[in-house]
Amino acid sequence: MSYLEYNVKHVPTGLRKVLHLNWALLLLITAVAGVGFLMLYSVAGGSFRPWAEPQMKRYALGVFVMLFVAMVPIWFWRSISGFAYLVTLVLLVLVEVMGSVGMGAQRWIDLGFMRLQPSELMKITLVMSLAAYYDWLPTEKTSKPLWVLIPVLLIIIPTMLVLRQPDLGTSILLLTGGAIVMFLAGVHWGYFAAVISMVVGLVVAVFQSRGTDWQLLKNYQYRRIDTFLDPSSDPLGAGYHITQSKIALGSGGWTGRGFMQGTQSRLNFLPEKHTDFIFTTLAEEFGYVGAVSLLSLYALIVVFCIASAISNKDRYSSLLILGIAGAFFLFFAVNMSMVMGLAPVVGVPLPLVSYGGSAMLVLMVGFGLVQSAHVHRPR
Amino acid sequence: MRAKSPTEVTEVHGRLSRRALLLGGTMLAFMTGLGFRMRHLQLDQADQYRLLAEENRINIRLIPPARGEIFDRNGIVLARNEPSYRVTLVPEDAGDVDAVIDKLATLVELDPNELDRAVTEMRRSPPFLPVTIADRVSWDELSRVAVNTPSLPGITPEVGLSRYYPLRGDLAHVLGYVGPVSDYDLSKIDNPDQLLRIPRFQIGKVGLEGRMEDDLRGVAGTKRVEVNAVGRIMRELDRREGEQGDDIQLTIDQSLQSYAQARLGEESAAAVVMDCETGDLLAVASAPTFDPNLFVEGISVADYGELTGDDHRPLAAKSVQGTYPPGSTFKMITALAALEEGIIGFDDTVYCPGHMEISNRRFHCWKRGGHGQMNLVQALRESCDVYFYDIALQVGIDKMSEVAARFGIGEKFDLPLSGVARGLNPSREWKNSVRGEDWVVGDTANASIGQGFVLASPLQLAVMTARLATGKAVPPRLVKSINGVEQPIAEAPPLDISPTHLAEVQRGMYAVSNHRRGTAYSKRIIADEYRMAGKTGTSQVRNITAAERARGVTRNEDLPWNRRDHGLFVNYAPFDNPKIAVAVVVEHGSGSKAATPIGRDITLQALYGGTPPLSAYPTKDRNSIEKQQEELEKLVPGREITRRNRA
């Protein structure tokens, strides 16, 4: 579709755009981020330092970035989708080649003022490029094998690069996120059935390859899987995360121990209490009520995005919104499954709540795109 | 690119919407699933997990009780607890252990031996257990460590209580010592107190500390503390105080004890001073001695080797554990056996030609030339062996053994000390059952002068002397009070010895010290109110062989130290009104002359309650005694001793 096909006359211009933002969505996002500040304040033992204060600054920056992205017309973003994907891919290769080594995994490029994680960025640009691809592709070709292969490659290449870093969590997110966009675009059911059988095959291969020369995963990833399957086997070693996390969750009860009264996190029994496992602190201190409330906030964000996508007649916008919503869903679904002992500990943070700059900014860019699509929707 | 028709757009968008709703439905279903999982964990299993969280968080720690203190009869502290500062390291928290130790070394003087021990301990124990790196550090050093803890990961300055014996060696053999609990200690106890699991907890090992461990230890308190994941204590939740150990007051008189110890000096010797009436042990000295403080934190191999390698056996409590042939100090028993049996009268005499033929063997008197005609008092006074051979052969071993038992020979006294010796009061049955031989008259002759099989500890000799002085079966007593509760003085039953017989033997003992021909006359007391009665003794370790005699060895002093005779002296004083009984044994002292002056000096010190006036001594001794008193006053501790603070 060309620029002219949008009914430009009805699209708000200038500062009037601000009035047309999806304010409910912004409010929900802020509420979730607020929960994050509260928990970071709590796990620091009732202090804004070292986590809550930087997180708030980052969120403020994030809101600014989101508004900026939202103000730029959606057709501009569509036009640079392919380019953004390519740039991100190059960056991914770059971290592979010359990225700084940290924590046993090469994941970022040091830009001086911040550490850029291309894999985080890829979550957005992959969705953008797929949305743009299916917007461009005539619908009758959607399920043709050749035209299916192209998006599959678009997904697989960055996924493999991320997996090599190695970052299992993000690669799962990329793979599933990409698949969601393809599903929404209307690719035939059969392909998904094929892919699912392939995944099952891959899982079998992963387990079969263990201990051989062509072992597909790192040993620590295998150990994580083992611990996931039987956390009690090593309660002080590899299973420690999950065991302690479940203890924290479980000891919360209905209404929890009260703000800043969580013994598991305050006494450092919880590992990564300010990042991947922050949900457990919430569940411990605010109980079932608190945990379900956060889950509901997330659900509302997803619901608002879906509603916004369905009401948007522009195909690129719809796909983009749904893709970002899907990625967002995967984020918290994987994280929560992880801390509840339903999924292996793969290192996925809780979106908007966990402490961390790169993930927060990328999410805000994503929501900026959702807002831009909302503001500039055809009327 | 062709334009799409509106219907086509609607149709395509419709499919997208359907799939979007399907996806949304799946997502919501998943989230509902998460909600149920949360419900399961947080509500259904809440109690179980809350319990686990509490277990995580709360640790029960023991509060070691303060060990009971030990005082002398006048309330002078003999064993107390001192704050002891030490530095511990948890290898796990330290990370680079060597770097931390290097840094610590700039703040605290580290003993290389201690460090070696710590490194070995670290290798053996799990990395989260603390290991003592520096013990007994000064307050200044501890403060320096405390200030620097942020830069010393894994290092904790700790304050504990440690045993301290202010008298050092002066009462070491009675008090014994405490030391860190060893695996061996634990293996001996069926159901060990949890306290003993505390690393380096101090437990009584030997002596009073060991025997009265149950009274002294006290009961542990507990505190519940909140700990974090690495086990660091965050705060105390509640505490239940334990009970401190019972304080024990001994019958020992510290100043007399210290004097006795100093007077024995470096001789291999023992001395026991006992109150004749109550049986209170006023001094129980054994020399040479050792510093029990060395053992408190675990003794070093070098120090221990030095103590065990010494041929004077400083670790042995000779006063209660050592047994010696009593020699001539046994002659009162032989005399009383004969008197009670009616075999001799006071004025019956025996002719001493210097030897006696018994079953074809010649038994010598110590005086080769012989004593001539001797009655009982004279025979005791001059210690004539032949007189006692003669009466012993008439009375026989059975009666002698029976009388000896009444005086405590061969009796194991119930004192809270390690290895209290039974000694040996020989009899026909004993020789038959233990040695499988019949008793022969030669054995009786030997026993009559306290040689042969007879063995007695200095403690038994002191008890014997007290009984001779009072005619009552006085038992020894060491513990005066426990936790302020006075221990009863046992009723001393009469010995059932005719008072006239006892008086005659006492006259003989008086003559030993006060008659011109008495064997202890030169070391007598001339203060009239404190005249003493005593008996010297020399017990042979071996005979001088014919070959040695041929080489010209006739004097005991010419033999190597460990073959010389033991010297013994027992006495009580004052003669008219016996207050104290004293027994002194000097191992390899070449005869009684080594023991007699020690017995006399200790007696005077006890009776005067301090340094006696020179006028109590015979004129010709006064110069040397004056010098000796000056020397000893330097050795006896004074300043450091603290009196018990009665609240």
Side-chain angles (χ1 to χ4, degrees):
Chain A
M1 269 192 259
S2 73
Y3 177 88
L4 288 171
E5 278 168 54
Y6 289 95
N7 194 344
V8 180
K9 269 189 285 183
H10 293 96
V11 172
T13 51
L15 280 175
R16 296 227 331 271
K17 287 178 179 180
V18 175
L19 297 173
H20 290 265
L21 283 171
N22 194 339
W23 281 102
L25 187 64
L26 181 56
L27 208 64
L28 286 169
I29 291 169
T30 308
V32 171
V35 171
F37 307 149
L38 209 60
M39 295 333 296
L40 289 174
Y41 178 80
S42 171
V43 293
S47 162
F48 285 103
R49 294 200 163 270
W51 299 309
E53 193 187 305
Q55 183 83 345
M56 287 162 99
K57 284 181 181 161
R58 273 191 212 123
Y59 181 70
L61 177 67
V63 169
F64 186 76
V65 169
M66 185 187 85
L67 288 175
F68 175 78
V69 173
M71 294 300 109
V72 175
I74 191 67
W75 46 84
F76 170 78
W77 295 119
R78 184 187 58 180
S79 66
I80 66 153
S81 291
F83 177 70
Y85 174 82
L86 276 176
V87 168
T88 319
L89 198 61
V90 168
L91 287 175
L92 262 181
V93 175
L94 264 177
V95 288
E96 192 64 28
V97 176
M98 52 150 276
S100 17
V101 175
M103 309 295 285
Q106 301 181 359
R107 290 181 188 180
W108 57 73
I109 290 174
D110 209 330
L111 293 182
F113 67 95
M114 73 172 284
R115 280 170 172 171
L116 180 70
Q117 287 199 39
S119 59
E120 293 286 344
L121 205 54
M122 184 50 97
K123 287 170 191 163
I124 301 297
T125 53
L126 177 65
V127 171
M128 283 170 77
S129 66
L130 287 171
Y133 171 79
Y134 281 110
D135 182 41
W136 165 80
L137 191 71
T139 41
E140 62 273 14
K141 291 182 181 166
T142 305
S143 292
K144 295 270 185 328
L146 186 68
W147 299 106
V148 171
L149 186 65
I150 291 169
V152 165
L153 285 177
L154 288 178
I155 297 166
I156 290 295
I157 293 169
T159 303
M160 294 315 282
L161 280 171
V162 171
L163 195 57
R164 267 184 60 93
Q165 283 185 348
D167 182 351
L168 187 62
T170 307
S171 55
I172 289 172
L173 253 46
L174 285 176
L175 198 68
T176 328
I180 286 175
V181 178
M182 287 178 72
F183 172 75
L184 292 165
V187 175
H188 195 272
W189 294 100
Y191 289 103
F192 293 99
V195 166
I196 287 166
S197 8
M198 255 177 62
V199 168
V200 171
L202 187 72
V203 168
V204 173
V206 160
F207 278 95
Q208 288 295 315
S209 72
R210 188 171 188 181
T212 63
D213 292 342
W214 50 283
Q215 185 165 300
L216 289 172
L217 300 182
K218 297 260 170 159
N219 279 331
Y220 82 92
Q221 291 168 326
Y222 278 113
R223 276 201 299 277
R224 281 177 177 182
I225 294 171
D226 285 347
T227 321
F228 163 62
L229 294 175
D230 184 12
S232 58
S233 62
D234 186 10
L236 288 180
Y240 183 81
H241 286 55
I242 288 176
T243 310
Q244 294 298 339
S245 164
K246 279 163 81 174
I247 289 174
L249 278 172
S251 62
W254 262 109
T255 53
R257 290 168 171 265
F259 184 51
M260 309 227 302
Q261 300 299 314
T263 58
Q264 286 285 101
S265 51
R266 205 160 40 76
L267 300 174
N268 284 331
F269 286 103
L270 285 173
E272 313 270 335
K273 57 183 179 185
H274 60 293
T275 57
D276 292 3
F277 282 84
I278 195 159
F279 182 68
T280 55
T281 306
L282 174 83
E284 187 186 21
E285 296 190 352
F286 295 107
Y288 183 61
V289 173
V292 167
S293 301
L294 182 66
L295 193 61
S296 308
L297 285 177
Y298 280 135
L300 281 174
I301 289 176
V302 171
V303 166
F304 267 77
C305 285
I306 291 174
S308 166
I310 289 175
S311 66
N312 199 322
K313 295 288 182 283
D314 179 40
R315 186 168 164 78
Y316 174 77
S317 299
S318 298
L319 285 172
L320 184 68
I321 294 169
L322 288 170
I324 287 166
F328 181 71
F329 166 79
L330 286 170
F331 247 118
F332 72 79
V334 170
N335 178 275
M336 286 186 178
S337 306
M338 188 171 94
V339 298
M340 287 182 215
L342 292 171
V345 179
V346 287
V348 173
L350 191 62
L352 299 172
V353 177
S354 286
Y355 180 79
S358 207
M360 164 81 88
L361 276 176
V362 166
L363 271 170
M364 294 310 277
V365 168
F367 284 118
L369 290 170
V370 171
Q371 295 282 17
S372 171
H374 186 79
V375 170
H376 302 99
R377 67 185 183 275
R379 289 174 168 86
Chain B
M1 195 185 287
R2 74 187 173 84
K4 286 167 189 159
S5 74
T7 47
E8 202 181 1
V9 168
T10 314
E11 199 269 337
V12 169
H13 190 74
R15 180 159 58 177
L16 194 152
S17 300
R18 279 199 305 281
R19 288 205 173 187
L21 286 172
L22 185 66
L23 184 76
T26 316
M27 286 173 175
L28 287 177
F30 191 88
M31 283 187 262
T32 314
L34 286 180
F36 275 106
R37 168 74 175 174
M38 219 129 66
R39 194 190 152 80
H40 176 66
L41 285 177
Q42 293 201 272
L43 303 181
D44 301 347
Q45 300 186 338
D47 293 346
Q48 179 200 337
Y49 281 117
R50 194 169 279 246
L51 195 70
L52 286 173
E54 293 295 297
E55 274 176 20
N56 254 350
R57 170 174 88 96
I58 291 167
N59 235 324
I60 292 180
R61 302 273 164 118
L62 291 176
I63 313 169
R67 193 173 176 83
E69 303 199 321
I70 304 176
F71 304 94
D72 90 333
R73 64 186 300 116
N74 299 315
I76 289 168
V77 182
L78 305 176
R80 65 163 184 257
N81 305 309
E82 289 211 319
S84 116
Y85 309 114
R86 61 171 187 263
V87 179
T88 60
L89 176 129
V90 179
E92 196 177 52
D93 297 348
D96 186 352
V97 174
D98 291 337
V100 172
I101 291 177
D102 284 349
K103 196 154 184 198
L104 186 68
T106 62
L107 302 168
V108 180
E109 205 171 314
L110 295 176
D111 175 14
N113 291 330
E114 183 88 21
L115 210 55
D116 280 353
R117 192 193 46 68
V119 170
T120 338
E121 206 175 312
M122 262 184 256
R123 259 186 242 122
R124 283 191 320 183
S125 60
F128 54 83
L129 279 189
V131 170
T132 305
I133 285 263
D135 228 329
R136 299 214 152 180
V137 298
S138 69
W139 173 246
D140 284 350
E141 288 178 315
L142 190 84
S143 314
R144 253 179 282 158
V145 174
V147 169
N148 286 289
T149 36
S151 62
L152 291 165
I155 292 283
T156 316
E158 284 186 20
V159 182
L161 286 178
S162 188
R163 203 59 156 170
Y164 181 65
Y165 303 101
L167 294 187
R168 298 177 188 282
D170 279 0
L171 199 56
H173 298 100
V174 170
L175 295 177
Y177 46 81
V178 299
V181 183
S182 65
D183 293 344
Y184 173 70
D185 293 328
L186 286 175
S187 71
K188 286 192 298 187
I189 308 167
D190 283 340
N191 186 17
D193 193 334
Q194 280 304 307
L195 268 176
L196 305 185
R197 308 278 184 199
I198 296 176
R200 300 175 76 75
F201 181 78
Q202 291 172 356
I203 185 177
K205 299 277 186 177
V206 298
L208 193 87
E209 292 271 28
R211 289 290 305 278
M212 297 196 73
E213 171 67 21
D214 292 344
D215 297 279
L216 288 165
R217 187 192 296 156
V219 180
T222 49
K223 58 179 172 185
R224 295 199 312 138
V225 291
E226 188 174 80
V227 296
N228 70 3
V230 292
R232 191 176 292 282
I233 296 175
M234 305 308 280
R235 64 190 169 121
E236 194 174 297
L237 299 172
D238 58 35
R239 71 155 65 203
R240 194 169 54 80
E241 293 296 341
E243 279 169 42
Q244 84 167 66
D246 291 340
D247 287 345
I248 291 176
Q249 186 173 26
L250 301 182
T251 58
I252 298 289
D253 178 337
Q254 176 271 325
S255 64
L256 183 64
Q257 173 73 30
S258 292
Y259 175 82
Q261 201 66 52
R263 184 65 185 82
L264 293 178
E266 290 307 304
E267 292 276 13
S268 182
V272 175
V273 183
M274 192 170 139
D275 184 307
C276 286
E277 283 300 323
T278 59
D280 282 2
L281 294 167
L282 302 175
V284 180
S286 177
T289 186
F290 63 94
D291 185 352
N293 293 306
L294 289 176
F295 286 86
V296 169
E297 308 277 350
I299 191 166
S300 72
V301 176
D303 286 343
Y304 193 66
E306 200 173 307
L307 288 174
T308 49
D310 189 332
D311 66 351
H312 283 40
R313 308 191 321 284
L315 291 177
K318 297 175 183 114
S319 41
V320 294
Q321 295 170 351
T323 57
Y324 308 90
S328 301
T329 59
F330 192 72
K331 284 174 179 166
M332 284 81 83
I333 304 293
T334 313
L336 282 171
L339 285 170
E340 290 287 295
E341 220 42 1
I343 285 162
I344 51 163
F346 296 154
D347 296 323
D348 293 348
T349 59
V350 171
Y351 180 75
C352 169
H355 60 84
M356 188 173 174
E357 300 292 331
I358 302 167
S359 52
N360 298 325
R361 236 189 90 201
R362 176 167 286 197
F363 281 71
H364 285 281
C365 185
W366 67 271
K367 193 171 177 183
R368 300 270 155 175
H371 286 94
Q373 290 289 346
M374 289 268 116
N375 68 13
L376 174 61
V377 168
Q378 290 166 332
L380 279 171
R381 180 181 82 198
E382 292 168 44
S383 205
C384 172
D385 293 338
V386 170
Y387 178 88
F388 290 96
Y389 296 147
D390 187 273
I391 64 169
L393 292 185
Q394 296 178 61
V395 73
I397 186 64
D398 298 340
K399 183 66 183 175
M400 283 163 60
S401 178
E402 189 257 314
V403 172
R406 279 195 249 173
F407 282 88
I409 305 297
E411 180 178 347
K412 187 173 176 180
F413 296 112
D414 181 25
L415 293 176
L417 295 172
S418 299
V420 176
R422 186 178 293 281
L424 181 58
N425 177 10
S427 64
R428 289 180 203 279
E429 299 76 46
W430 168 80
K431 197 180 177 194
N432 236 316
S433 64
V434 176
R435 297 180 71 108
E437 290 166 22
D438 284 334
W439 188 269
V440 296
V441 284
D443 296 334
T444 309
N446 271 330
S448 71
I449 59 162
Q451 291 285 159
F453 299 124
V454 192
L455 289 174
S457 68
L459 172 70
Q460 284 171 330
L461 292 177
V463 170
M464 176 190 82
T465 311
R467 291 177 180 187
L468 283 168
T470 59
K472 288 187 287 186
V474 191
R477 187 175 86 132
L478 183 61
V479 176
K480 190 168 185 299
S481 70
I482 298 177
N483 221 16
V485 180
E486 198 75 17
Q487 299 298 293
I489 296 171
E491 189 64 35
L495 278 171
D496 200 19
I497 299 277
S498 154
T500 50
H501 293 163
L502 198 61
E504 191 68 4
V505 170
Q506 287 170 349
R507 258 171 33 82
M509 290 174 74
Y510 181 79
V512 167
S513 176
N514 294 291
H515 190 277
R516 213 168 33 76
R517 301 187 65 170
T519 50
Y521 180 72
S522 67
K523 302 299 171 200
R524 68 193 180 280
I525 294 171
I526 65 161
D528 273 336
E529 68 277 27
Y530 291 148
R531 295 268 177 185
M532 67 175 174
K535 184 73 193 80
T536 57
T538 298
S539 70
Q540 284 182 347
V541 177
R542 59 183 291 287
N543 291 317
I544 294 174
T545 62
E548 279 166 342
R549 209 179 293 279
R551 275 213 315 273
V553 178
T554 50
R555 291 179 345 130
N556 211 258
E557 286 89 332
D558 297 334
L559 288 167
W561 176 77
N562 62 0
R563 294 198 206 159
R564 291 179 205 161
D565 294 342
H566 297 320
L568 295 91
F569 185 66
V570 299
N571 72 283
Y572 66 88
F575 177 69
D576 311 321
N577 174 26
K579 284 203 169 65
I580 56 159
V582 180
V584 175
V585 176
V586 179
E587 285 187 357
H588 310 296
S590 297
S592 62
K593 61 182 174 297
T596 314
I598 298 177
R600 189 257 318 259
D601 291 349
I602 291 176
T603 305
L604 279 173
Q605 190 80 16
L607 293 175
Y608 279 98
T611 308
L614 289 172
S615 58
Y617 288 95
T619 333
K620 69 179 173 64
D621 283 356
R622 289 182 187 164
N623 280 338
S624 61
I625 291 291
E626 190 173 9
K627 222 170 281 162
Q628 177 187 302
Q629 284 180 349
E630 279 169 20
E631 290 295 313
L632 291 180
E633 267 163 24
K634 280 183 223 155
L635 292 175
V636 175
R639 314 286 157 268
E640 210 190 335
I641 294 174
T642 51
R643 234 158 228 282
R644 170 188 206 166
N645 294 320
R646 286 191 194 273

